[in-house]
Amino acid sequence: MSRSAELIELSERRSAHNYHPLPVVVQHAEGAWLTDVEGRRYLDCLAGYSSLNFGHGNPTIIEAARRQLDRLTLTSRAFFHDQFADFCAGLGDLTGKDMILPMNTGAEAVETAVKVARKWGYEVKGVPDGMATIVVAEGNFHGRTTTIVSFSTDPDARAGFGPYTPGFRVVEYGSADAIRAAIDETTVAVLIEPIQGEAGVVLPPAGYLREVREICSANNVLFVADEIQSGLGRTGDTFACDHEGVVPDMYLLGKALGGGVVPVSAVAADADVLGVIRPGQHGSTFGGNPLACAVGIAVVGLLNTGEYQARARQLGKLLHDRLGALVGHGVVEVRGRGLWAGIDIDPALATGREVCEALMRHGVLAKDTHGSTIRLAPPIVISEEDLLWAVERLADVLSELRGES
Ligand SMILES: *Cc1c(COP(=O)(O)O)cnc(C)c1O
């Protein structure tokens, strides 16, 4: 039995089967490249669902983490520490918001936003206690907690986990009219992804985000943008909302904020919103810890250069040009923005999973979602040559499946 086969067998036997990983056991990585336990190399075209926007082992991020590891890693929020102020001020400046509430995982940032929006609704907007509603979109993915899956429309994510948290209204994604119709005097927030990642990199119609902004402002409702996957450079802008020049009331950040090193998430908002949370009302033992803040400061520093956003924009144009040429050749549709693509494979040809398994044999790691869609989101540090190589491997896989080779 190979080393990989042994480790996969043991993993399957001793871990819960809440994931269905590709049969590859990674041991080492640098930039956009992974090496498995057999010494085989793969191009990483998933980048930890956009957690690795800045690449594996990014020297600036690793150096910041190393330095912090030797000094101080955890205090809890019972005390201040010397990385906290700079992290909050830096991320606040990047988002243009007064305040940061740091947490760890993306789901915790979403949970924080739900709590903040409800409390804001009762204390500021004057919604009767216990009556707050939040408008969310069909096809959403905001995480895995019981409250969050309560408003998921994906049966796999939701079924069997009730009783569900009330207070959410689900409307069609991309329809401003649907949001308008769902809002009443109890509505405290509209929570959406500016681009739906897990749904298959689904872009709303042009102008949607601007309309959502207008509707929220007109109705005294908070616009909460879940930029956990779409934010921090992926789309060619710092935030996907930037594409329409839209500023939400709350940004939810995670994934790449941790630099691929540690889980770091945050809610960014102005003082009139985040100010509703007072001591003892919300928190997390690890939220805003010194190691997380040191890494977060490094990530904010990288984004402040603008280099990653520009690179995602340029490489994204190339990626979408090349992927466009595959439409009609085993590909039904390609969506996306920047270095982020959802590719619908002709279901008559293969499932997304089959395409990802074939890509793996060709040295490219990607992830399927919802049956026949595959997602490409390589680290932004990927070279142009490697990016084109990955698209060629996809073209090879599609011609193999079409029986052309
Ligand atoms: C991944 C993701 C989350 C959840 O983040 P976790 O760190 O896995 O809890 C929430 N929202 C969006 C848009 C995501 O992509």
Side-chain angles (χ1 to χ4, degrees):
M1 218 188 200
S2 70
R3 182 80 183 127
S4 312
E6 273 173 33
L7 291 170
I8 289 169
E9 192 277 327
L10 185 58
S11 302
E12 293 290 348
R13 203 149 41 80
R14 302 307 297 273
S15 75
H17 294 178
N18 55 330
Y19 283 89
H20 180 31
L22 287 171
V24 56
V25 183
V26 180
Q27 185 173 51
H28 178 266
E30 198 179 331
W33 286 91
L34 305 167
T35 309
D36 76 1
V37 291
E38 318 291 344
R40 286 182 294 243
R41 297 181 80 227
Y42 302 88
L43 189 60
D44 184 358
C45 284
L46 179 64
Y49 302 88
S50 286
S51 299
L52 288 150
N53 282 1
F54 310 100
H56 293 272
N58 182 293
T60 305
I61 296 170
I62 295 297
E63 172 56 25
R66 274 226 177 85
R67 226 182 320 119
Q68 196 56 41
L69 274 175
D70 287 335
R71 293 203 308 226
L72 176 71
T73 51
L74 191 69
T75 54
S76 86
R77 293 287 305 281
F79 317 124
F80 289 95
H81 62 76
D82 69 354
Q83 302 297 303
F84 189 74
D86 287 343
F87 172 64
C88 294
L91 187 58
D93 289 348
L94 185 77
T95 54
K97 297 296 184 189
D98 298 338
M99 289 180 168
I100 300 299
L101 199 162
M103 297 292 282
N104 310 285
T105 64
E108 286 174 307
V110 175
E111 287 277 351
T112 301
V114 168
K115 288 173 73 176
V116 168
R118 285 177 171 182
K119 204 149 187 302
W120 174 88
Y122 302 132
E123 292 184 3
V124 180
K125 182 166 175 167
V127 173
D129 193 39
M131 299 295 287
T133 56
I134 295 177
V135 177
V136 298
E138 278 170 7
N140 70 73
F141 183 84
H142 297 289
R144 301 293 196 171
T145 65
T146 40
T147 286
I148 293 171
V149 302
S150 294
F151 58 86
S152 172
T153 57
D154 174 356
D156 280 342
R158 186 175 193 275
F161 299 120
Y164 301 110
T165 306
F168 298 93
R169 290 182 184 159
V170 185
V171 302
E172 185 192 340
Y173 185 66
S175 165
D177 285 340
I179 290 180
R180 214 176 271 115
I183 287 177
D184 63 21
E185 64 284 355
T186 67
T187 308
V188 296
V190 172
L191 165 64
I192 52 165
E193 299 156 84
I195 293 177
Q196 289 189 327
E198 297 304 304
V201 193
V202 175
L203 277 70
Y208 175 68
L209 299 175
R210 263 202 309 278
E211 269 196 274
V212 173
R213 174 68 280 176
E214 285 163 18
I215 294 166
C216 287
S217 297
N219 291 281
N220 195 25
V221 165
L222 300 174
F223 177 8
V224 183
D226 182 345
E227 293 255 17
I228 290 166
Q229 193 167 157
S230 60
L232 309 183
R234 173 59 54 193
T235 62
D237 286 301
T238 307
F239 305 108
C241 284
D242 294 347
H243 187 73
E244 291 199 2
V246 160
V247 178
D249 297 297
M250 275 194 254
Y251 285 106
L252 311 187
L253 302 172
K255 292 202 164 101
L257 191 57
V261 178
V262 280
V264 185
S265 70
V267 172
D270 280 336
D272 57 342
V273 175
L274 268 183
V276 301
I277 299 291
R278 286 173 289 273
Q281 296 176 346
H282 190 56
S284 160
T285 305
F286 283 84
N289 70 73
L291 184 59
C293 288
V295 166
I297 290 168
V299 165
V300 169
L302 294 176
L303 287 166
N304 279 335
T305 68
E307 286 167 32
Y308 289 86
Q309 296 89 324
R311 191 173 175 79
R313 215 174 302 139
Q314 285 153 16
L315 291 178
K317 193 175 168 333
L318 196 64
L319 174 67
H320 286 283
D321 278 354
R322 297 299 167 100
L323 288 176
L326 299 180
V327 174
H329 303 271
V331 168
V332 177
E333 186 181 277
V334 179
R335 296 170 301 274
R337 178 168 295 140
L339 211 44
W340 201 16
I343 304 161
D344 292 343
I345 305 296
D346 180 354
L349 203 59
T351 63
R353 172 78 185 190
E354 286 162 346
V355 172
C356 287
E357 285 170 353
L359 276 172
M360 186 188 121
R361 292 191 287 274
H362 287 257
V364 174
L365 295 186
K367 180 72 177 78
D368 56 297
T369 182
H370 296 287
S372 57
T373 301
I374 66 169
R375 172 172 35 187
L376 294 184
I380 300 169
V381 297
I382 192 173
S383 72
E384 184 176 314
E385 193 189 353
D386 289 345
L387 182 67
L388 296 179
W389 181 83
V391 178
E392 281 163 24
R393 299 292 73 74
L394 175 60
D396 289 350
V397 163
L398 294 172
S399 15
E400 274 172 27
L401 289 165
R402 286 148 56 93
E404 287 167 5
S405 58

